[in-house]
Amino acid sequence: MPPQTDRTVPPTGGSPERGVTATTFAVLRRHRGTVAGAAVRVVGLCGLVALLMTATIFASAWPVFTHMRNQRIWYRQVEDPYLHDHTDLGLVALWTLPLFLALLGTGSAALQTVCSRAVAAETQGHPQGHEPRLADPARLRPVLAVYALRGLIVWPLPLLATVVAGRLTGNQLDTPEPLERGTWPHTLVEASPAAAVSAAVLLRLALALAPAAAAAGLGPCADLRCSWSLTWTRSGFARVLALALPLAGLTAGAVRLVTELALPLRPLVRAHLEQATGNFFAAYYAGILAPVLVGVLVAAAVTLPLTFTAFAALHDHLRSPRTPPGCAGNTARRTAPRWVGVRSSRGGAGR
């Protein structure tokens, strides 16, 4: 029997051959309909829910606005200037902030799932028309779990440091300061929030690739370990930082630009709401929030697909040449059925 020729097919993953930028734009070009449709649906639904939540919060805080209006009328009658106290509104905003963060995290997780699945379909070489279903609701749960777990790991320390520093070094008019100003304990405690925020930013960058790993099929804890292993390598952190800085600048610039362009909404919303409710302060704060909400939503629709696709491409690119232990199982499941099985079956036939 003539010897069989071993026609081993090499893996067709695109990440070793193409860079992160080329992979990102190739994915956005090939899956532009799916990614753009997902961005429009997610941002539109989040905007509608945010509008309903804001209206509910304003309705719940209406006694505060009514008190401000009555105080303004009374001070006007006695011909004294009225400087309204917004402490109560600050407390309302502080207590309702987790609701908006949960909404932002859910929308981001849904959009990141689609972008990560698009990168997986591109780098695994699926033929046209045979890509896996990108909008898979089953993949959303692990990405949400990673978002929640990462938030619990990253942000409690800076929040705790800020609260403790405010308690120990704040300017309380009715009580003496717990720490004497100018002493080294006062200086250390006063600088602790900045140090805690810096540590949280570094930790957040080290875990930036975890949602992409979750969309690829790992568990929440394995996703965080995978991101940590991929980031703290010889060039991993530098590449994550080099990708995160311009994308963060692009997002911040887009939010600022769209908010400035939407500033004409402020007097429009203020005039209509004051005419409808007769409350100047409710209309005033609604006018402040309107351009900000529009800026965040439009910037999210424009920048988040690019950001999530780029981080998913970087995750795939970093784990291809040197796969950490936490990502080995997923990589083996991804590559083995494509070419190892072909080689073993043909080798068995030759024998």
Side-chain angles (χ1 to χ4, degrees), residues 213-310:
L218 297 178
C221 295
D223 299 329
L224 298 176
R225 289 195 301 267
C226 178
S227 179
W228 184 272
S229 301
L230 291 175
T231 303
W232 295 114
T233 57
R234 184 181 304 175
S235 61
F237 184 78
R239 299 185 67 176
V240 170
L241 186 63
L243 184 63
L245 287 179
L247 290 175
L250 176 64
T251 303
V255 171
R256 180 63 183 273
L257 177 61
V258 179
T259 302
E260 291 293 328
L261 293 177
L263 283 181
L265 288 175
R266 181 170 295 176
L268 187 64
V269 171
R270 184 184 305 170
H272 282 78
L273 193 57
E274 185 178 6
Q275 183 180 6
T277 62
N279 195 310
F280 167 79
F281 292 100
Y284 173 76
Y285 285 104
I288 291 177
L289 290 177
V292 177
L293 181 62
V294 172
V296 170
L297 291 176
V298 174
V302 173
T303 62
L304 287 187
L306 174 63
T307 300
F308 293 154
T309 305

